[in-house]
Each structure stands twice: as C-alpha cells, then as structure tokens.
C-alpha cells in the first residue's frame, strides 16, 4: 500500500498517518518531522531549512525530494508507506513519480483530507508540542493533564514557531498556491479519494479505514 496524505496544514494528516501506519505496520514518512529533526540536530540541511520553516514557506523542492528519495530506499518502505506532507508542489509530485517508477512501483492512492478554514486555524493556533519527545497536545481539544506540561515526559510544552498567527497565514496561502493544485493533478490520474477530517480523531480514522480497506490485500 503506497499512499499519499494530502491536505492543508492542520487537517490532521500527521495524526492519522501515525495511527494508520501503526495499524498496517507500514512506514510513515513525514517530511515535516524529518526537517524538524534536521533542524534540531543542526545539520547543514537543517540550517538551510530553518528559515523557510519558521516563516511558513516551503523548503526548496531539491532538498525535500532528496530526503524522501533516501527514505524510500530504506527496507522499511519495501512493503508500502504513508507519505505525510509530501508532495507539496507539482514538481515534487513529478519527482515522486519518477522515484517510484525507477523502483518499478507506483502510488496506489492519494487521500485528500478536508476541514473548514476556520477549524484549521483553530487547530493550528492551539497546538502545543513537546520539544523533547515530540508529543502533541491542543489547548482546547487535547489538553495535557497539567497545563503546558507534557503528559508523556514532563517537559515544558511549546508552540511551534510556524504555528504562530502570521506563519499560519503564510502556510495557508502557500498551500492554496502551491499544494492545492495537486488535488486536480491526482484526480486526473484517478488516484484521489476524499476524507472528511472535521470530526474527532477516532471518527476520521474510521472514515480513513473505509477508504483504505480495498487496498489492504494487494
Ligand atoms: P508540516 O509538519 O508538514 O506542517 O511541515 C512543516 C514545515 O516543513 C512546512 O511549513 C515547510 O516549511 C516544511 N516542509 C514540510 N514538508 C515539505 C515539503 N514537502 N516541501 C517543502 N517544505 C516542506
């Protein structure tokens, strides 16, 4: 099962990718997570990516495609994968197609999550994450037991620099301009399915499983 998760920032792609990858025991590749790890480790790539990320802009295609190409060569991806947050431009989609073709494989499905713009802004601006273990919480919808403290490891929660209002606006604009065209791109290739991402994590997960079930036994 080779699946791409598409949708604006804040639609819950990452949360669902995490759950579904565990359910099917397949790899989850999140370019946002890979880039944040590079930033934390202050690698050359991380230093290059940081400014783009802080401002809510996309990291250059060549950087991100290189990251994904490496990951897809990993044996953990041999049986399939869920791609979260990649591709985000038509160029990235074309490059992904080439990488998979060189391995004599192709995508099975692209799941497009949709949530109202108002909900997306609420989800992103209230999101808090743990800088130590990367667990995520929300000030209204997934409160930690103790305010601003990670349930899992006890570290102080922080707001991601790109979850601040001005960066959120930029990310949504970038999504509309550069990523939304992928909905049509994949629809034309008959790969697109839609999932309503507006319910609870459990409800959305059920919708997602319904969409994925026909691909399960391939
Ligand atoms: P995410 O966690 O998916 O919201 O990604 C956080 C940030 O990482 C984005 O706002 C971009 O700056 C960068 N990023 C993640 N994935 C990509 C991608 N496929 N192309 C370019 N930049 C990306």
């Amino acid at each position: 099962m080779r699946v791409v998760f598409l949708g604006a920032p804040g639609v819950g792609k990452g949360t669902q990718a995490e759950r579904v990858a565990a359910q099917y025991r397949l790899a989850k590749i999140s370019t946002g997570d890979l880039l944040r790890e590079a930033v934390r480790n202050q690698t050359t790539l991380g230093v290059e990516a940081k400014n783009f990320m802080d401002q809510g802009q996309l990291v250059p295609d060549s950087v991100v495609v290189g990251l994904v190409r490496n990951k897809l060569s990993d044996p953990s991806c041999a049986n399939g994968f869920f791609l979260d947050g990649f591709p985000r431009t038509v160029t990235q989609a074309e490059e992904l197609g080439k990488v998979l073709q060189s391995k004599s494989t192709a995508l099975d499905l692209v799941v497009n999550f949709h949530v109202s713009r108002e909900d997306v802004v609420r989800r992103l601006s209230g999101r808090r994450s743990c800088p130590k273990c990367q667990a995520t919480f929300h000030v209204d919808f997934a409160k930690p037991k103790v305010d601003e403290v990670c349930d899992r490891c006890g570290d102080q929660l922080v707001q991601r620099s790109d979850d601040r209002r001005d960066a959120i606006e930029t990310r949504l604009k970038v999504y509309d301009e550069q990523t939304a065209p992928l909905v049509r791109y994949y629809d034309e290739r008959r790969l697109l399915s839609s999932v309503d991402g507006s319910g609870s994590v459990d409800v959305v997960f059920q919708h997602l499983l319904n969409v994925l079930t026909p691909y399960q036994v391939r």
Side-chain angles (χ1 to χ4, degrees):
M1 191 154 37
R2 295 176 181 84
V3 182
V4 160
F5 281 4
L6 203 62
V11 293
K13 307 183 292 293
T15 306
Q16 296 297 335
E18 189 85 48
R19 268 184 91 158
V20 87
Q23 167 102 3
Y24 288 109
R25 296 208 180 88
L26 292 176
K28 182 199 87 158
I29 305 172
S30 158
T31 41
D33 287 350
L34 291 174
L35 289 165
R36 278 184 289 278
E37 191 186 333
V39 170
R40 274 197 304 279
N41 295 335
Q42 298 185 337
T43 64
T44 314
L45 190 153
V47 172
E48 188 187 343
K50 187 175 186 321
N51 278 342
F52 293 102
M53 295 172 75
D54 282 348
Q55 288 165 26
Q57 297 287 352
L58 294 186
V59 174
D61 287 339
S62 55
V63 174
V64 188
V65 169
L67 269 180
V68 172
R69 190 182 286 123
N70 273 346
K71 271 281 162 189
L72 290 178
S73 301
D74 200 276
S76 64
C77 295
N79 293 331
F81 52 78
F82 293 96
L83 268 171
D84 158 34
F86 181 94
R88 260 173 152 105
T89 64
V90 171
T91 303
Q92 291 179 15
E94 288 168 352
E95 291 300 317
L96 173 63
K98 287 183 205 161
V99 172
L100 293 176
Q101 204 175 14
S102 73
K103 298 175 188 299
S104 304
T105 59
L107 290 177
D108 293 304
L109 184 67
V110 175
V111 180
N112 185 34
F113 292 86
H114 49 92
V115 169
S116 74
R117 200 40 71 97
E118 198 189 330
D119 281 355
V120 155
V121 171
R122 277 184 72 196
R123 286 182 181 186
L124 291 173
S125 55
R127 183 161 66 179
R128 298 291 181 273
S129 47
C130 175
K132 197 169 164 196
C133 75
Q134 318 320 316
T136 55
F137 300 86
H138 192 281
V139 293
D140 298 317
F141 312 128
K143 293 182 185 177
K145 292 194 186 87
V146 180
D147 259 4
E148 304 292 329
V149 176
C150 178
D151 285 357
R152 223 195 266 169
C153 73
D155 223 40
Q156 183 76 27
L157 298 178
V158 294
Q159 183 174 41
R160 260 168 58 173
S161 48
D162 60 349
D163 280 344
R164 296 180 210 285
R165 283 277 166 169
D166 50 338
I168 290 174
E169 265 173 42
T170 309
R171 287 164 73 197
L172 292 174
K173 191 161 173 278
V174 165
Y175 169 79
D176 289 339
E177 290 172 1
Q178 302 197 54
T179 309
L182 290 178
V183 173
R184 181 155 171 217
Y185 178 92
Y186 283 122
D187 195 27
E188 284 172 356
R189 285 156 182 77
R190 301 276 176 266
L191 286 169
L192 198 74
S193 278
S194 286
V195 164
D196 178 0
S198 62
S200 67
V201 172
D202 288 344
V203 167
V204 177
F205 188 58
Q206 269 314 315
H207 291 321
L208 180 59
L209 291 182
N210 292 342
V211 165
L212 293 175
T213 300
Y215 298 87
Q216 205 170 328
V217 289
R218 283 197 178 182

